[in-house]
Amino acid sequence: MIIQLKESISDSQKDSLIAEVNKIGYKTTEVKTQLGDYLIGIGKKDFDIRKIGQMEGIQDIHIVSDEYKLVSKKWKVSPTTIDLGDGVCIKDGDMAIIAGPCSIESEDQIKKVIAHLQESGIRMMRGGVFKPRTSPYAFRGMGIEGLKLWHDLASAAGIKIVTEVMQVSQIEEMYPYTDVYQVGARNTQNFNLLDELGKVDKAVMIKRGISGTIEELLQSAEYVFSGGNEKLILCERGIRTYERASRNTLDLNAVPILKAKSHLPVIVDPSHGIGIREYVPQMALAGVMAGADGIIYETHEVPEKAYSDGQQTLDFAQSARLADWIRKTFEMRKGFELL
Ligand code: PEP
Ligand code: MN
């Protein structure tokens, strides 16, 4: 159960409410987010919702039987909009395009990517300065200095930054230079990181874990939400299966399922999803048709020379064509109301 508390609720009203909820055998947790105060009740017994609903200090009450609560559509029917400022939004009914290299490599590279994004009308740039690499000997990113440099150039161009945070200690140093904190697939269940991102007032995009279920992704989002931060984006980036012909198995089933279960926007990452450059565009368009609210993909001036993930990275001409097709496909999807 989720109880949204009125701002005006008094301490004694809250105490009586908690006592009443405990009496029916439900454990309670208080959650304060940047937008409201809630009381989450966890339990299984049937009870008469009217009895609690009539109590003083309550704004709204819902029974949400899902394991995740606040990110559930059973709690909030209207889709959540992520507003990054300057007219850049990620939201239902719109198509966000986020493009950029796997890793931020140099000032020259950043400038070239920004020029390409500007030409293609893309307002969000991805790129890692802290890179989770399977091998400790691989390029692990330019670090915070790279992010500062990137931020100077991107903000002058009106482009928003989407970048991975790997550990709690990076959150604060990244804060002034980051628009969307990306939680990578290897960190989806790093609960300390999720807790701390709950305290931040900037958007967080959570990737699906390498072997994570849809339910686990939603539970990870619930961590950040219940920690206080409602600005969340979910990202399907492929899961590990027995299939070896592609890097991962892009689970496009997850898109309509996540959209049905949660009010949060859903983004698809076809680059990591399939891991093969030639097939990224069609998987991106499939993601659009599956109902995604945005696509995130990798692009680089010379993909063959990229420090990481070159094999799945588009060159700028391919990226420009894909951005165009993403928009065209999205227009087509709007007219596709089969159900
Ligand atoms: C990335 O976006 O470059 C990345 C490392 O992604 P993932 O966490 O999905 O592997
Ligand atoms: Mn990558």
Side-chain angles (χ1 to χ4, degrees):
M1 136 186 30
I2 302 180
I3 302 170
Q4 185 171 15
L5 306 175
K6 280 192 178 149
E7 233 177 282
S8 59
I9 191 168
S10 67
D11 286 347
S12 67
Q13 284 170 342
K14 204 191 282 177
D15 290 344
S16 332
L17 182 60
I18 292 173
E20 197 60 36
V21 175
N22 292 155
K23 216 158 83 187
I24 55 169
Y26 277 54
K27 279 194 187 147
T28 51
T29 308
E30 267 191 79
V31 167
K32 281 184 194 298
T33 77
Q34 288 144 17
L35 298 179
D37 291 353
Y38 307 89
L39 196 65
I40 309 294
I42 304 289
K44 291 229 177 318
K45 287 201 195 111
D46 277 343
F47 64 96
D48 185 354
I49 192 169
R50 285 168 304 184
K51 223 172 147 194
I52 303 216
Q54 281 161 3
M55 294 185 72
E56 280 173 307
I58 294 183
Q59 180 85 31
D60 202 358
I61 176 165
H62 274 282
I63 299 184
V64 180
S65 47
D66 300 319
E67 289 288 316
Y68 45 89
K69 307 280 176 199
L70 292 157
V71 303
S72 171
K73 217 172 195 165
K74 291 188 189 141
W75 165 245
K76 181 170 173 271
V77 182
S78 61
T80 290
T81 292
I82 307 299
D83 188 348
L84 301 179
D86 304 321
V88 183
C89 283
I90 301 176
K91 61 174 184 186
D92 186 83
D94 208 349
M95 182 49 57
I97 302 181
I98 308 166
C102 180
S103 306
I104 296 298
E105 298 171 3
S106 66
E107 180 169 355
D108 182 55
Q109 179 226 31
I110 300 168
K111 284 183 177 160
K112 286 180 173 148
V113 175
I114 287 179
H116 158 62
L117 298 185
Q118 282 186 305
E119 259 173 47
S120 309
I122 299 172
R123 305 282 310 276
M124 286 170 268
M125 177 167 162
R126 59 144 292 139
V129 294
F130 300 111
K131 294 302 301 179
R133 302 305 302 276
T134 304
S135 162
Y137 309 117
F139 177 63
R140 290 160 77 177
M142 283 181 81
I144 195 70
E145 293 310 317
L147 182 59
K148 287 182 187 168
L149 186 65
W150 178 16
H151 177 261
D152 281 349
L153 298 165
S155 54
I159 285 178
K160 303 294 172 186
I161 289 182
V162 180
T163 193
E164 178 162 354
V165 58
M166 283 179 58
Q167 56 183 20
V168 171
S169 63
Q170 291 161 350
I171 296 175
E172 205 178 320
E173 57 172 356
M174 289 171 70
Y175 183 86
Y177 317 106
T178 301
D179 297 295
V180 179
Y181 287 99
Q182 172 176 325
V183 175
R186 292 154 193 81
N187 262 320
T188 310
Q189 290 194 313
N190 179 340
F191 300 119
N192 293 330
L193 182 64
L194 299 175
D195 269 340
E196 290 302 311
L197 287 168
K199 298 177 188 159
V200 171
D201 63 355
K202 287 202 176 179
V204 176
M205 180 180 81
I206 310 182
K207 288 207 170 188
R208 183 168 175 188
I210 289 178
S211 308
T213 63
I214 291 171
E215 167 105 17
E216 284 164 344
L217 174 59
L218 288 164
Q219 289 281 37
S220 296
E222 186 81 12
Y223 258 89
V224 183
F225 202 122
S226 64
N229 187 355
E230 306 194 6
K231 297 185 186 117
L232 285 162
I233 303 150
L234 305 171
C235 179
E236 167 59 44
R237 49 77 75 199
I239 47 173
R240 178 164 291 175
T241 67
Y242 49 80
E243 186 50 67
R244 299 267 64 92
S246 51
R247 180 177 180 180
N248 288 297
T249 297
L250 184 62
D251 178 17
L252 290 179
N253 295 346
V255 178
I257 293 174
L258 285 168
K259 291 287 294 173
K261 286 182 182 293
S262 175
H263 52 82
L264 299 174
V266 177
I267 301 279
V268 167
D269 174 349
S271 306
H272 296 85
I274 192 157
I276 305 165
R277 183 184 309 132
E278 298 90 292
Y279 310 140
V280 167
Q282 44 271 60
M283 297 316 291
L285 301 187
V288 175
M289 285 310 290
D293 303 308
I295 302 292
I296 182 168
Y297 63 85
E298 290 178 337
T299 186
H300 188 284
E301 195 204 12
V302 189
E304 294 75 16
K305 292 204 173 147
Y307 290 180
S308 54
D309 285 353
Q311 82 291 343
Q312 65 190 31
T313 298
L314 304 181
D315 66 26
F316 292 163
Q318 292 167 327
S319 165
R321 274 203 302 279
L322 177 58
D324 202 31
W325 271 98
I326 289 173
R327 295 185 184 111
K328 282 185 190 147
T329 308
F330 176 58
E331 285 310 310
M332 191 170 83
R333 185 184 96 196
K334 285 189 199 164
F336 180 72
E337 283 181 27
L338 204 60
L339 301 175

